Amino acid sequence: MPMMEYLMRFSPIAVALSLSLATVSSAVLGQKADDQINPRSIALVQQGEAALAAGKLDDATDLMEAALVVDPRNRSAFSGLGKIARDRSLPGKAIHFYRQALSLNPDDLAALEGQGEAYVQRGAVERAKTNLERIKSLCHVTCAPATNLAATIAKGPPVETVAAPMVSSTTPAVKP
């Protein structure tokens, strides 16, 4: 009789627990991260990309930021903001945005490529080479992001990055 009493006491709990675990595990396995992005956020990113292609950087920035307000998990919006920052010659800001995208998906080839290009723009060619190696390891064969980043690395940083004079905070700037 004690065995029957034991089963009667704990069977409902065991059944409820197993059902909840089965439901959660099947839901997690059936979805990719991008499937959960709010459709309004995706639409805003698409509008932002169109504005970026038209050269309207301010409009593109506003749309990408709005997409992140709607859904902060939209890594395409972070990559878009990174591209805009690179176009404005703000590589540090671009690297930050690409880092945000990579924190959501470390295997995002577009974000790795964009961050690598921002590293080159900033003059950090060795860090860009690290991104290139990561892209190559993810592609397994030659892919467009690897080819594009390799070409950017071969071209090197912009002339103004290489030739920019270093001004120390302790040394006053000399006017000619």
Side-chain angles (χ1 to χ4, degrees):
M1 200 64 150
M3 181 60 130
M4 202 56 151
E5 189 176 313
Y6 176 78
L7 287 175
M8 289 175 65
R9 247 188 207 169
F10 294 108
S11 290
I13 296 171
V15 169
L17 185 61
S18 64
L19 284 175
S20 66
L21 287 175
T23 304
V24 169
S25 65
S26 66
V28 170
L29 292 176
Q31 295 179 352
K32 292 185 283 183
D34 288 343
D35 290 345
Q36 301 170 6
I37 302 296
N38 187 315
R40 290 184 314 165
S41 180
I42 293 170
L44 286 166
V45 168
Q46 290 170 346
Q47 292 172 13
E49 289 170 348
L52 180 59
K56 299 176 181 177
L57 298 181
D58 290 334
D59 292 343
T61 300
D62 292 343
L63 289 163
M64 296 293 181
E65 288 175 348
L68 287 172
V69 169
V70 171
D71 194 338
R73 298 167 300 157
N74 191 339
R75 70 176 191 266
S76 296
F78 283 116
S79 291
L81 287 169
K83 171 77 171 107
I84 293 166
R86 277 194 359 249
D87 288 353
R88 289 186 168 163
S89 297
L90 301 170
K93 199 171 197 176
I95 290 166
H96 167 75
F97 287 127
Y98 288 121
R99 188 177 301 125
Q100 293 293 104
L102 290 168
S103 72
L104 295 170
N105 180 4
D107 297 337
D108 185 343
L109 294 175
L112 285 166
E113 176 189 2
Q115 186 182 48
E117 290 175 355
Y119 281 142
V120 171
Q121 189 178 14
R122 190 168 195 176
V125 177
E126 290 305 313
R127 289 184 126 183
K129 288 179 181 177
T130 302
N131 277 33
L132 179 60
E133 293 306 314
R134 175 86 175 121
I135 291 171
K136 286 180 178 179
S137 72
L138 292 171
C139 286
H140 301 295
V141 294
T142 304
C143 59
T147 305
N148 296 341
L149 183 55
T152 301
I153 291 171
K155 205 170 16 170
V159 175
E160 59 270 1
T161 302
V162 175
M166 295 298 290
V167 177
S168 170
S169 61
T170 58
T171 311
V174 179
K175 294 184 180 178

